[in-house]
Amino acid sequence: MTHTARYAAAVESAIDKLHQEGRYRTFIDIERHRGQFPRALWRKPDGSTKEIVVWCGNDYLGMGQHPVVLAAMHEALEATGAGSGGTRNISGTTVYHKRLEAELADLHRKEAALVFTSAYIANDATLSTLPKLLPGLIIYSDELNHASMIEGIRRNGGAKRIFRHNDVAHLRELLEADDPAAPKLIAFESIYSMDGDFGPIEAICDLAVEFDALTYIDEVHAVGMYGPRGAGVAERDGLMGRIDIINGTLAKAYGVMGGYIASSAKMCDAIRSYAPGFIFTTSLPPAVAAGAAASVRHLKTDQERRDKQQLHARILKTRLKAMGLPIIDHGSHIVPVIVGDPVHCKQISDMLLEDFSIYVQPINFPTVPRGTERLRFTPSPVHDPKMLDGLIRAMDNLWSHCALNRAELSA
Ligand SMILES: Cc1ncc(COP(=O)(O)O)c(C=O)c1O
């Protein structure tokens, strides 16, 4: 075997492994149509096209086509050009970035906010930097935290403790076992996006006070969606002031791109100054920052859009449950239907797309544990009743066709 062939064989065998386990990922090429979300055009591998309805997007509120957002982006693009032209430190800080950060600080009623190129980077950069600022820091992390938090915590070289998902008794045990004088931080999410369950925010804040720990919450799936101004679940529950660092995205409910943390002025200043993931990368294009700011501003008052999204999620869950489909229902906007097998999950997803023009991506390991493979539906205010009827009919049909279990798993 030649030198090159040896490496090629290793790479191929890694890919083969995914095929064998039925979890090789196939990207579906879609062209979204502004003004017609959630409709899109599927560009098939054979070159043909098909009109489809997207049911698995994270543009939860359809803000990616909102005229207010588009106008702000057009305006900034015309005014200032395409890219930012630099890192935040070297010519890449514009009025658009500053306005966006002011909008976010106001949203979360914090002294400051810091924008990153994504929430993944915001989590990774912040959590990997904190031990530099707080020597000896111990991070307590929910076992189901997002990969970006896990990665940040893993790389920081500091001490970490993993508590069982949403298990505050276990968290307490871990806190009690450590030196009371050690600096501590509890990292968790407000909504876990694959099951759609909520984190126990108040109980964690109580423990943080008792053990003198900082709190770090990922509200990525909640910002724009919950709370009277769309600041997330902590705002809805009157707990936002008790969280030290809030992480959010501008790419899901806000429909654009980018991520951030909101915190004290000093914390943001320190992360700004020490986090490589913030310092050594080009800042967001000004038009993106302008669109995101417009979206955040708009959703501070558009409660109707939030209500409609919640209504559509409730209707979809009620109808799927009525057919006996195994859905998980924790009362959030996310609608997971468990298939429990990667091959079946992919088959159903393929059939939905080919035969019913419904696009829902199969969710497999490692995104979810093996045996809990699922279809994750994200109804939005821009899905209409006809689309909903079409989805229900298709799911009923396929569940019978594939002889799948109709026992309910709901919480
Ligand atoms: C819980 C959670 N945090 C962070 C992220 C990263 O967000 P972004 O897409 O802005 O990088 C995701 C993305 O899916 C997520 O689910």
Side-chain angles (χ1 to χ4, degrees):
M1 201 183 273
T2 67
H3 183 70
T4 323
R6 180 158 70 97
Y7 294 118
V11 171
E12 204 177 313
S13 104
I15 294 170
D16 282 349
K17 185 165 175 272
L18 298 178
H19 280 295
Q20 280 157 20
E21 291 177 13
R23 57 189 189 91
Y24 178 77
R25 289 177 170 168
T26 311
F27 293 162
I28 304 295
D29 297 350
I30 60 169
E31 227 179 87
R32 298 210 293 170
H33 298 156
R34 176 178 58 80
Q36 293 173 33
F37 293 5
R39 286 202 178 79
L41 198 68
W42 172 31
R43 295 202 167 275
K44 298 192 193 188
D46 66 6
S48 64
T49 60
K50 188 182 174 87
E51 280 285 345
I52 55 162
V53 176
V54 180
W55 276 99
C56 57
N58 280 339
D59 184 353
Y60 294 130
L61 298 174
M63 291 303 286
Q65 64 181 352
H66 197 288
V68 165
V69 175
L70 300 193
M73 294 187 77
H74 281 297
E75 213 177 282
L77 188 65
E78 291 307 319
T80 195
S84 75
T87 63
R88 284 295 295 270
N89 187 42
I90 308 176
S91 88
T93 295
T94 69
V95 288
Y96 301 98
H97 297 89
K98 297 306 286 181
R99 276 186 211 140
L100 173 56
E101 286 176 343
E103 202 65 69
L104 291 166
D106 171 75
L107 174 70
H108 292 292
R109 312 258 189 234
K110 298 288 179 202
E111 290 171 356
L114 202 58
V115 169
F116 297 74
T117 44
S118 71
Y120 186 105
I121 300 292
N123 271 335
D124 179 65
T126 305
L127 289 166
S128 61
T129 298
L130 282 168
K132 288 187 209 162
L133 309 174
L134 307 163
L137 180 70
I138 304 172
I139 299 187
Y140 302 79
S141 175
D142 187 289
E143 67 178 335
L144 291 192
N145 275 343
H146 187 256
S148 53
M149 299 168 89
I150 295 172
E151 200 56 28
I153 294 167
R154 196 178 62 78
R155 281 196 310 106
N156 73 22
K160 65 171 183 210
R161 315 273 182 258
I162 312 299
F163 59 94
R164 288 190 292 273
H165 179 52
N166 278 353
D167 186 339
V168 285
H170 187 215
L171 173 59
R172 166 181 285 283
E173 264 174 45
L174 295 173
L175 286 160
E176 278 172 348
D178 282 319
D179 176 0
K184 301 179 176 73
L185 177 137
I186 307 169
F188 64 111
E189 298 183 22
S190 64
I191 299 182
Y192 291 85
S193 72
M194 289 302 143
D195 281 356
D197 57 331
F198 293 91
I201 305 177
E202 187 166 20
I204 288 181
C205 288
D206 289 346
L207 280 180
V209 171
E210 192 180 333
F211 290 89
D212 195 23
L214 293 171
T215 45
Y216 183 105
I217 195 168
D218 174 317
E219 289 254 32
V220 159
H221 291 275
V223 288
M225 306 285 292
Y226 294 83
R229 294 203 312 154
V233 182
E235 184 197 31
R236 182 196 71 181
D237 296 350
L239 298 166
M240 200 159 62
R242 298 185 64 189
I243 303 284
D244 295 292
I245 305 175
I246 298 173
N247 164 276
T249 187
L250 301 162
K252 299 189 194 288
Y254 291 122
V256 191
M257 179 82 197
Y260 63 90
I261 57 163
S263 189
S264 67
K266 284 213 159 45
M267 180 61 81
C268 288
D269 195 18
I271 298 294
R272 181 187 76 88
S273 311
Y274 282 92
F278 179 83
I279 299 170
F280 299 107
T281 187
T282 302
S283 62
L284 285 180
V288 170
S295 189
V296 172
R297 196 176 317 120
H298 178 86
L299 285 178
K300 284 178 181 171
T301 54
D302 192 352
Q303 186 58 35
E304 204 183 322
R305 190 170 284 263
R306 277 190 279 281
D307 290 344
K308 201 166 170 193
Q309 196 285 332
Q310 290 288 337
L311 177 69
H312 286 184
R314 272 200 305 278
I315 294 173
L316 178 58
K317 283 180 184 176
T318 307
R319 294 186 64 181
L320 289 171
K321 269 190 208 170
M323 298 191 308
L325 261 60
I327 77 158
I328 302 180
D329 184 7
H330 291 282
S332 75
H333 62 283
I334 293 163
V335 186
V337 177
I338 301 292
V339 179
D341 174 89
V343 177
H344 272 147
C345 200
K346 168 100 173 65
Q347 261 171 4
I348 294 179
S349 162
D350 288 347
M351 287 159 91
L352 280 169
L353 190 59
E354 266 304 343
D355 305 340
F356 298 93
S357 304
I358 287 169
Y359 173 36
V360 59
Q361 190 71 21
I363 312 275
N364 291 341
F365 178 82
T367 310
V368 294
R370 290 181 209 272
T372 72
E373 290 80 7
R374 65 196 64 186
L375 301 173
R376 175 181 176 272
F377 297 96
T378 52
S380 77
V382 292
H383 287 89
D384 65 29
K386 252 180 76 186
M387 293 171 184
L388 192 75
D389 287 344
L391 174 62
I392 295 293
R393 265 198 310 275
M395 288 295 280
D396 196 19
N397 192 311
L398 284 183
W399 232 252
S400 300
H401 179 85
C402 300
L404 285 164
N405 186 4
R406 289 198 188 233
E408 192 163 326
L409 289 182
S410 83

